[in-house]
Amino acid sequence: MTRVLRMIAYRLALGLLTLFVVSLIIFGATELLPGDFAEAILGQAATPETVAAIRRQLGLDQPLHIRYFEWLWGAVQFDFGTSLAQRGRPVADMIWVRLGNTLFLAAYAAVMAVPLALTLGILAALWRNSVFDRVANSSALSAISFPEFFVAYILIYILAQGGWFPSMARVPAGADLGEKLYRAFLPALTLTLVVTAHMMRMTRAAIINLLASPYIEMARLKGMRPSRVIVRHALPNAIAPIVNVVAINLAYLITGVVVVEVVFVYPGLGQLMVDSVSRRDIPVVQAVALIFAAAYVLLNLTADVISTLSNPRLMHRK
Amino acid sequence: MAFLIFLFWAAVTLAVAIALSWGFRRLAAAVTRGEMHRALRDAPLTASFGMMVILIYLVVAILAPLIAPFPERMVVGSQFQPWTAEHWLGTDALGRDMFSRMIYGTRNTVGIAFATTALAFLIGSVLGLLAATVGGWLDQGLSRLVDVFMAIPSLIFALLLLTIFGTSILTLILVIAVIDSTRVFRLSRAVAEGVVVMDYIEAARLRGERLGYLITREILPNVTAPLVAEFGLRFCFVFLAISALSFLGLGIQPPTADWGSMVRENATLITFGDITPLLPAGAIALLTVAVNFVVDWQLYRASGLKE
Amino acid sequence: MSERQVLLQITDLKIDGKSGDDWLPIVKGVNLTLHRGEVLGLIGESGAGKSTIGLAAMGFARDGCRISGGTIDFDGIDLRKASQEQLRRLRGKRIAYVAQSAAASFNPAHKLMDQYCEAPVRHGVMSRSEAEQDAVELYRKMQLPNPDEIGFRYPHQVSGGQLQRAMTAMAMSCRPDLIIFDEPTTALDVTTQIEVLAAIRDIVEQFGTAAIYITHDLAVVAQMADRIKILLRGDEVEEADTRTMLAEPKHDYTKSLWAVRSFRRAVQAAPEGQPVVSVRNVSAAYGPVKVLEDVSFDIHARRTVAVVGESGSGKSTAARVITGLLPPTAGEVLFDGQPLPADYRKRTRDQLRHAQMIYQMADTALNPKLTIRKLIGRPAQMYLGLRGRKLTERIRELLDLIELEPDEYIDRLPSELSGGQKQRIGIARALAAEPRFIICDEVTSALDQIVAEGILRLLDRLQGELNLAYMFITHDLATVRAIADDVVVMQQGRVVEQGPKDEMFRPPHHPYTDLLLSSVPEMDPDWLTRLLEERKHKDHPLSADA
């Protein structure tokens, strides 16, 4: 047991280290900005005096490493400084509500996509080369090939035009859950369709790989029922690959969310990031990028830990 | 009602696509010989459909100025004109001919995506092969670096870098190529790793062969097949990523005709029941589907031949 | 045996395998009759279709295979017409299966006991607690260590030889009428193989179970089977009672199988002068793990030194030290009396040229994308500076030397050659460098016996013609008998004994050499019985594994 704990501690430490380096990259990238940060803020109004004043105000006259650690220390406490575009407004204020909205949307899509994709993927693997498998496989291949905004606009064209669902997913403050689910249905459905395709294909591949193992053949040759072969012999060994598939695709959701939020004008982090990129509002971009990257790293870390725990070779040493 | 109409047209499109791919397969098999002939004759319909579409895109991209009735950037009418005999797909938000911009978009969007993928491959596969062959600290260093880069979702990373470097076509190509080259590095390193452990590589090393010979003569011929298939997949990813960025207004910039930005500029029409803005999006989807179908077929063939 | 009741009757069995979009025949009309309590040995080289027939006896065909003709009658049940449900009830209960790799065929997620109990409980033969007691009983009969406790381990916690016995016990759990053994000892070392063979034979006899024993090893099947059936590429060659088959094989193919073990290299003159290669007090390690300790031996021109040992003995590591792939932690390697740089990258082109290597797996030793011309030509071009016409001439000469027709083979790819031909190309590549010393790393162990014998004869001839010194790495004592002049026996990274072959095969031996020698199955149906008897008297430890 202690060995497993040590292993998990090692993974956690590695995850933290990755996050640390990621933060370095995100912060360091800003330093590559051609010209001066302060000039970028002031634009046309830049005079030597105003630039110097802004530099002092933002702490840009400090050396690089001090600024980095101040930024990181702030970020850990969820203080990302103030926005450049909306002068004086703390970035954290802009992020809080939107983070909640984005998580809601991602969770909404995940709840629909994960069971659907796993079921379809497992069925396609079990009925390999059947008509079902072929249709599911080529539809999935097509769906993967569609840009998210294409899927989104098709859904709008079909479902929103008839007035069944709103194409603008602005969620009014204080809306109840039912209202929220209704308003966010189209963006969630878009994400679901895109992610399901990926997840289904990966699940299918993982299960087919597993079913080719000699111990599955052995279980059949022992005269076990097909259902028992699946539940008792395949499933316990499928946890690790399936968890990995789910983690990879949830991580994919993070990216998908950006485009979908823009299409449906959904007030989430993705939209904020896109707006901030066009305004070159660097503190906001940094903050959002850090949050997305952290979520990504955490997902992969979780998958790693779960696969470790599901592996008898690691759980029961010699 | 919209839904039923959609279903009807989907069914018609599918039927036409199947018929065309069937015909294309017959044609392709008729004009080829030998190994190629056999492969094409036995190709599934999806793959021949894919090849047909890719061929059409290629022709359109090369002959764009000849096909397009109007110049790429010229305002030729009033805004948002409906489909007419003169402007087959109407006009866009500025009054430019939609059909002509679609045609030029083939050249711009696909060309940029292709250049980006090629660059990503150049960087990624050279480093990947080197890392696998040389091993040691070079491998460790590059692999850890790539691990960290890959810990940041690629679209987010691209957005971050575009904020900093601005959104010209050159930076767009460089940024996406560098980000995507990490994936190519991973794959080419993994594939080359599988080759490097083979006894024939050990034999070549013991013979005293130099690094250049090892990589170009002994390893490269054994990794080209999976790398070519991966090129198709990476092209799809890059193509979709660039389109997404353009759609977000952060990729290819106006007035260059580009499918992603065309969707963005004309999206409002959709809510009025006009499907014109869906066409450039569909053009993106169609090419990606086509490439995926061909790659899928190639991968299947590669795995089938191994047995 | 004809008075006994027939249990399994297979007539004109045909099985196809899928290749691309076509079905090609794998088994082309095989008949087989098995009586109750009888053990039938199915013998054949790779591709003979023996495993496929074994599975068909359970009414099972792997993915990509289909039973296309004939009948399979098991105790009055037509397995080809039986429903899936009927077959399911038979499998595990009345017909059981023991796979080649127990490590892969036990489910890694469950304990041995859970997997043992599954069949008897699910088939309603006994309750879980009865099954557990029965398991311990069988584990004890199979001479597994700690029979009370071993069932509560996971497969990865148990050694290979023990797993194979546990799998046999599992197959016995429902006391089936028939067990299919599919190469159950092929993946094991010789000393481990003995215990598994003894345990299997013992338990099959005790319960009077009928068995089909599939293997490519004649000596093994001679110990296990009452009758032997020989297969060749999906066709049956002949079938007879074991003793008759061994004593007077009728068919040419069978005779050639029997004859392979007869090759003996002519006795060589005693070594003289300076050794070509000399390994002096070499120790080596992979990181903190010591793999070689104080190893010394010499190899003279025109002589073959066989380095023998089981997996993990360090014999291949010794080769890696000599070639410079693994620099030793102590000691040195001399070539013509001069020390070689420890790392191959520091060696001169001439030093590299004179020590060549032939690999076990010709498949991975030849670059699949290069033609024979390039494969053989490169060393000649590099080391001897041959170009153009001269190079082509040399390549043709080399092909002649390895007995392959130059015109036919020079522009082929390795994938267009058979296993034995590939191995010959590996030899030609080594010869192209015109070396004085060649390391042969298990060069025959991946080949069928008849092909392997051809390779040994070729190597022997070339040695005389070209004045070569060979280092032969092998685990197979038959190969040692055939080709070695001197033998070095290794165990756990040390040399336990070395000397001329004749002395080594004559007692007294070092205890480990003795164990190794006596564990090699012989083509005598009484060998195993006699050996077990002897060991019982000597109170010999079976092996370190038990």
Side-chain angles (χ1 to χ4, degrees):
Chain A
M1 250 349 252
T2 52
R3 204 181 192 116
V4 174
L5 288 179
R6 217 178 308 144
M7 205 148 184
I8 289 171
Y10 171 76
R11 300 277 152 132
L12 284 174
L14 207 64
L16 273 180
L17 181 70
T18 313
L19 266 182
F20 176 72
V21 181
V22 165
S23 75
L24 261 179
I25 294 180
I26 290 177
F27 184 84
T30 339
E31 293 300 316
L32 299 173
L33 187 67
D36 195 298
F37 201 27
E39 282 170 30
I41 300 168
L42 290 166
Q44 302 286 330
T47 65
E49 294 80 41
T50 46
V51 169
I54 291 278
R55 284 176 65 88
R56 218 170 310 117
Q57 189 192 331
L58 294 175
L60 288 180
D61 47 353
Q62 301 282 327
L64 184 63
H65 61 277
I66 297 198
R67 275 184 291 136
Y68 169 69
F69 281 109
E70 276 177 358
W71 174 75
L72 187 65
W73 181 239
V76 174
Q77 302 167 61
F78 228 77
D79 170 12
F80 296 98
T82 53
S83 160
L84 297 184
Q86 294 166 283
R87 291 294 293 275
R89 191 165 171 211
V91 176
D93 279 5
M94 302 164 74
I95 286 177
W96 258 129
V97 183
R98 286 167 173 267
L99 177 61
N101 285 343
T102 292
L103 286 180
F104 172 76
L105 182 58
Y108 191 178
V111 165
M112 290 198 280
V114 174
L116 183 67
L118 294 187
T119 316
L120 287 177
I122 291 172
L123 288 181
L126 292 181
W127 299 333
R128 194 161 22 135
N129 295 330
S130 66
V131 176
F132 172 80
D133 180 30
R134 277 163 204 225
V135 170
N137 218 1
S138 28
S139 331
L141 197 57
S142 308
I144 287 171
S145 314
F146 286 9
E148 285 100 349
F149 54 85
F150 186 43
V151 178
Y153 281 126
I154 290 181
L155 289 180
I156 289 182
Y157 183 71
I158 301 171
L159 295 177
Q161 254 211 97
W164 294 334
F165 291 97
S167 67
M168 298 288 220
R170 284 214 178 83
V171 184
D176 63 358
L177 185 65
E179 176 76 11
K180 274 169 113 181
L181 288 177
Y182 173 70
R183 293 203 166 259
F185 179 72
L186 284 186
L189 185 63
T190 308
L191 282 173
T192 304
L193 287 179
V194 175
V195 168
T196 301
H198 274 278
M199 212 182 322
M200 190 216 107
R201 272 171 74 85
M202 290 187 199
T203 310
R204 176 180 177 275
I207 298 292
I208 284 180
N209 192 17
L210 188 85
L211 290 180
S213 330
Y215 58 79
I216 297 295
E217 182 178 283
M218 192 70 207
R220 292 212 182 103
L221 291 175
K222 275 161 81 181
M224 295 300 116
R225 284 176 201 284
S227 58
R228 187 173 169 89
V229 172
I230 298 296
V231 174
R232 176 89 182 148
H233 290 274
L235 225 49
N237 296 293
I239 293 174
I242 286 182
V243 164
N244 270 318
V245 168
V246 172
I248 290 171
N249 286 287
L250 292 185
Y252 183 84
L253 263 183
I254 293 173
T255 318
V257 119
V258 176
V259 173
V260 171
E261 284 183 0
V262 171
V263 174
F264 292 96
V265 204
Y266 183 85
L269 277 187
Q271 205 197 26
L272 176 66
M273 180 154 190
V274 172
D275 289 348
S276 308
V277 171
S278 31
R279 287 189 217 127
R280 306 192 84 178
D281 192 346
I282 287 163
V284 180
V285 174
Q286 278 181 334
V288 179
L290 191 64
I291 290 174
F292 276 135
Y296 198 81
V297 171
L298 278 179
L299 273 173
N300 284 319
L301 188 67
T302 316
D304 229 22
V305 170
I306 295 179
S307 348
T308 308
L309 290 177
S310 75
N311 186 343
R313 280 164 215 271
L314 296 173
M315 288 300 281
H316 311 276
R317 300 300 297 193
K318 290 192 177 183
Chain B
M1 199 53 206
F3 185 64
L4 286 180
I5 294 172
F6 173 80
L7 269 190
F8 171 75
W9 283 111
V12 170
T13 317
L14 192 67
V16 171
I18 289 176
L20 280 176
S21 343
W22 185 81
F24 181 76
R25 183 167 66 185
R26 289 290 294 265
L27 185 71
V31 297
T32 47
R33 290 277 167 277
E35 185 69 25
M36 185 102 157
H37 168 75
R38 235 167 301 132
L40 285 173
R41 189 193 56 200
D42 299 337
L45 274 182
T46 49
S48 75
F49 173 74
M51 285 184 280
M52 178 178 72
V53 170
I54 293 172
L55 203 68
I56 292 174
Y57 274 61
L58 214 65
V59 170
V60 170
I62 292 169
L63 302 181
L66 297 179
I67 302 173
F70 295 96
E72 179 183 357
R73 300 172 185 186
M74 192 197 275
V75 175
V76 293
S78 53
Q79 305 171 2
F80 292 135
Q81 282 182 28
W83 298 8
T84 60
E86 193 188 359
H87 302 290
W88 290 0
L89 300 178
T91 56
D92 71 358
L94 293 178
R96 293 170 298 193
D97 183 54
M98 274 296 269
F99 179 68
S100 301
R101 286 182 70 76
M102 283 283 291
I103 301 289
Y104 277 103
T106 321
R107 187 179 255 197
N108 300 332
T109 315
V110 178
I112 288 173
F114 189 82
T116 310
T117 318
L119 185 60
F121 251 75
L122 195 69
I123 305 172
S125 56
V126 167
L127 291 180
L129 290 179
L130 263 181
T133 317
V134 177
W137 60 265
L138 180 74
D139 185 23
Q140 283 299 317
L142 283 174
S143 298
R144 292 296 82 76
L145 189 71
V146 163
D147 282 351
V148 172
F149 272 179
M150 287 183 68
I152 307 174
S154 49
L155 184 63
I156 304 300
F157 203 9
L159 287 176
L160 179 72
L161 292 181
L162 288 175
T163 321
I164 292 158
F165 296 115
T167 46
S168 76
I169 287 183
L170 186 66
T171 47
L172 180 72
I173 291 179
L174 287 176
V175 162
I176 303 286
V178 166
I179 292 175
D180 210 61
S181 67
T182 55
R183 274 77 178 169
V184 180
F185 172 86
R186 272 266 177 101
L187 181 95
S188 52
R189 180 181 168 278
V191 176
E193 199 96 294
V195 174
V196 165
V197 297
M198 291 291 171
D199 288 336
Y200 56 82
I201 300 297
E202 186 185 298
R205 285 187 207 267
L206 286 178
R207 197 158 64 224
E209 301 286 7
R210 291 178 207 290
L211 185 65
Y213 178 92
L214 270 184
I215 292 183
T216 54
R217 298 299 170 82
E218 299 272 353
I219 299 175
L220 204 56
N222 288 291
V223 297
T224 32
L227 284 187
V228 166
E230 181 68 7
F231 188 90
L233 289 182
R234 289 327 314 171
F235 172 79
C236 292
F237 275 93
V238 167
F239 187 49
L240 289 178
I242 289 183
S243 301
L245 286 173
S246 301
F247 171 75
L248 296 175
L250 305 166
I252 302 169
Q253 297 295 316
T256 310
D258 157 73
W259 293 336
S261 15
M262 284 169 75
V263 178
R264 167 195 173 81
E265 287 157 11
N266 304 299
T268 32
L269 289 179
I270 295 170
T271 31
F272 300 110
D274 184 345
I275 62 154
T276 314
L278 284 180
L279 294 177
I284 297 169
L286 187 62
L287 180 59
T288 325
V289 171
V291 174
N292 264 325
F293 277 163
V294 175
V295 168
D296 217 41
W297 172 53
Q298 287 300 327
L299 288 176
Y300 175 79
R301 253 163 55 92
S303 70
L305 291 176
K306 246 182 257 162
E307 284 163 17
Chain C
M1 304 216 179
S2 51
E3 73 274 14
R4 287 205 234 169
Q5 191 192 341
V6 171
L7 179 67
L8 177 72
Q9 177 88 48
I10 294 179
T11 31
D12 198 25
L13 178 67
K14 291 193 178 80
I15 301 173
D16 296 342
K18 196 160 194 171
S19 159
D21 288 329
D22 308 316
W23 292 96
L24 298 177
I26 302 177
V27 176
K28 309 160 185 166
V30 166
N31 298 303
L32 187 154
T33 308
L34 186 69
H35 301 91
R36 282 193 178 275
E38 186 187 29
V39 179
L40 174 73
L42 270 188
I43 284 260
E45 305 190 330
S46 48
K50 45 197 196 303
S51 293
T52 316
I53 297 176
L55 288 171
M58 305 182 75
F60 186 89
R62 287 206 168 112
D63 272 353
C65 290
R66 64 168 188 203
I67 302 175
S68 56
T71 56
I72 306 161
D73 184 295
F74 174 79
D75 206 16
I77 307 165
D78 184 344
L79 295 192
R80 282 199 68 200
K81 294 208 180 95
S83 68
Q84 282 303 314
E85 182 62 16
Q86 266 176 303
L87 287 174
R88 194 183 67 68
R89 284 171 200 280
L90 280 178
R91 291 180 191 149
K93 187 179 180 188
R94 297 196 59 199
I95 314 176
Y97 182 75
V98 175
Q100 173 170 356
S101 166
S105 297
F106 270 117
N107 192 326
H110 303 297
K111 293 173 185 162
L112 293 183
M113 184 59 86
D114 293 335
Q115 301 191 50
Y116 179 96
C117 294
E118 196 172 20
V121 173
R122 290 282 138 183
H123 286 299
V125 177
M126 46 183 115
S127 72
R128 166 88 195 193
S129 57
E130 285 168 334
E132 280 188 19
Q133 280 176 9
D134 189 54
V136 172
E137 191 56 37
L138 278 183
Y139 288 156
R140 186 166 289 127
K141 280 207 171 82
M142 297 295 293
Q143 300 182 356
L144 280 165
N146 305 323
D148 295 309
E149 177 268 337
I150 196 166
F152 298 96
R153 294 200 213 161
Y154 283 89
H156 67 274
Q157 298 169 317
V158 178
S159 78
Q162 292 172 8
L163 269 187
Q164 206 68 53
R165 277 179 277 169
M167 175 154 286
T168 307
M170 183 165 87
M172 273 295 173
S173 61
C174 293
R175 302 296 182 272
D177 300 305
L178 170 63
I179 300 188
I180 316 289
F181 290 99
D182 191 355
E183 306 244 17
T185 62
T186 305
L188 304 175
D189 277 331
V190 271
T191 52
T192 318
Q193 167 170 277
I194 290 282
E195 309 151 30
V196 177
L197 287 181
I200 289 178
R201 198 175 69 167
D202 198 44
I203 202 145
V204 169
E205 261 170 23
Q206 268 189 41
F207 292 112
T209 316
I212 294 179
Y213 196 99
I214 297 164
T215 177
H216 67 280
D217 190 330
L218 291 162
V220 164
V221 87
Q223 314 310 314
M224 309 302 285
D226 302 315
R227 255 184 325 133
I228 294 178
K229 183 183 207 53
I230 315 244
L231 297 169
L232 174 63
R233 288 191 285 272
D235 274 318
E236 46 182 286
V237 176
E238 66 176 306
E239 178 180 337
D241 177 76
T242 300
R243 278 166 205 280
T244 323
M245 184 72 99
L246 289 176
E248 40 197 291
K250 290 198 179 59
H251 202 277
D252 283 346
Y253 175 71
T254 321
K255 280 181 194 156
S256 68
L257 277 180
W258 266 225
V260 283
R261 291 176 173 239
S262 64
F263 172 63
R264 289 286 181 279
R265 170 177 159 78
V267 179
Q268 303 291 305
E272 51 190 51
Q274 196 177 38
V276 177
V277 171
S278 179
V279 178
R280 294 275 168 84
N281 308 99
V282 162
S283 298
Y286 288 120
V289 188
K290 284 197 166 183
V291 282
L292 283 184
E293 276 194 82
D294 199 21
V295 170
S296 302
F297 55 86
D298 293 337
I299 305 166
H300 288 79
R302 286 173 159 272
R303 282 189 85 82
T304 300
V305 173
V307 180
V308 189
E310 299 186 284
S311 47
S313 63
K315 54 190 194 303
S316 292
T317 313
R320 291 177 69 82
V321 169
I322 296 175
T323 53
L325 284 168
L326 180 70
T329 50
E332 57 182 356
V333 179
L334 306 181
F335 188 85
D336 274 348
Q338 299 299 313
L340 282 174
D343 188 328
Y344 74 92
R345 280 167 287 207
K346 302 216 169 67
R347 293 184 185 174
T348 64
R349 199 164 259 206
D350 243 25
Q351 285 169 333
L352 290 172
R353 168 163 88 97
H354 280 303
Q356 289 294 313
M357 180 126 177
I358 306 170
Y359 294 84
Q360 171 176 11
M361 307 293 288
D363 277 325
T364 64
L366 304 179
N367 192 330
K369 300 288 179 187
L370 299 182
T371 58
I372 305 302
R373 183 193 293 276
K374 292 220 171 97
L375 285 169
I376 306 182
R378 180 69 188 173
Q381 184 192 19
M382 235 186 119
Y383 293 129
L384 309 168
L386 297 180
R387 296 274 183 288
R389 170 113 50 88
K390 277 194 172 160
L391 183 62
T392 309
E393 266 169 34
R394 177 66 184 148
I395 296 169
R396 297 174 65 91
E397 241 175 69
L398 286 163
L399 284 172
D400 275 330
L401 211 56
I402 54 166
E403 297 155 15
L404 290 180
E405 175 54 46
D407 287 328
E408 200 183 334
Y409 290 97
I410 193 162
D411 287 315
R412 286 205 197 179
L413 288 171
S415 55
E416 297 165 301
L417 301 180
S418 72
Q421 289 171 336
K422 281 183 215 165
Q423 196 56 289
R424 280 167 192 259
I425 298 298
I427 294 172
R429 180 174 61 185
L431 295 178
E434 301 190 4
R436 295 180 46 209
F437 168 60
I438 298 181
I439 297 175
C440 305
D441 187 358
E442 300 269 13
V443 287
T444 55
S445 59
L447 301 173
D448 288 328
Q449 286 180 23
I450 295 176
V451 182
E453 162 132 336
I455 296 286
L456 289 184
R457 285 181 194 270
L458 174 68
L459 284 171
D460 182 45
R461 203 195 78 214
L462 292 170
Q463 182 169 48
E465 287 175 20
L466 305 170
N467 265 331
L468 296 165
Y470 287 154
M471 170 176 166
F472 237 86
I473 297 168
T474 182
H475 69 280
D476 178 22
L477 286 157
T479 309
V480 177
R481 276 209 179 88
I483 200 154
D485 299 311
D486 305 287
V487 183
V488 176
V489 182
M490 294 191 64
Q491 184 192 20
Q492 288 164 9
R494 292 171 178 280
V495 174
V496 294
E497 199 177 3
Q498 61 176 311
K501 173 172 72 175
D502 297 339
E503 280 176 31
M504 296 298 295
F505 282 104
R506 220 183 299 129
H509 310 290
H510 179 276
Y512 178 72
T513 314
D514 188 44
L515 179 69
L516 211 55
L517 282 177
S518 66
S519 300
V520 180
E522 286 168 22
M523 297 271 283
D524 168 3
D526 301 320
W527 167 80
L528 183 61
T529 321
R530 221 172 41 229
L531 178 75
L532 294 174
E533 202 57 31
E534 275 169 25
R535 285 193 179 173
K536 208 186 284 170
H537 288 307
K538 274 204 265 177
D539 202 24
H540 203 301
L542 271 173
S543 88
D545 189 51

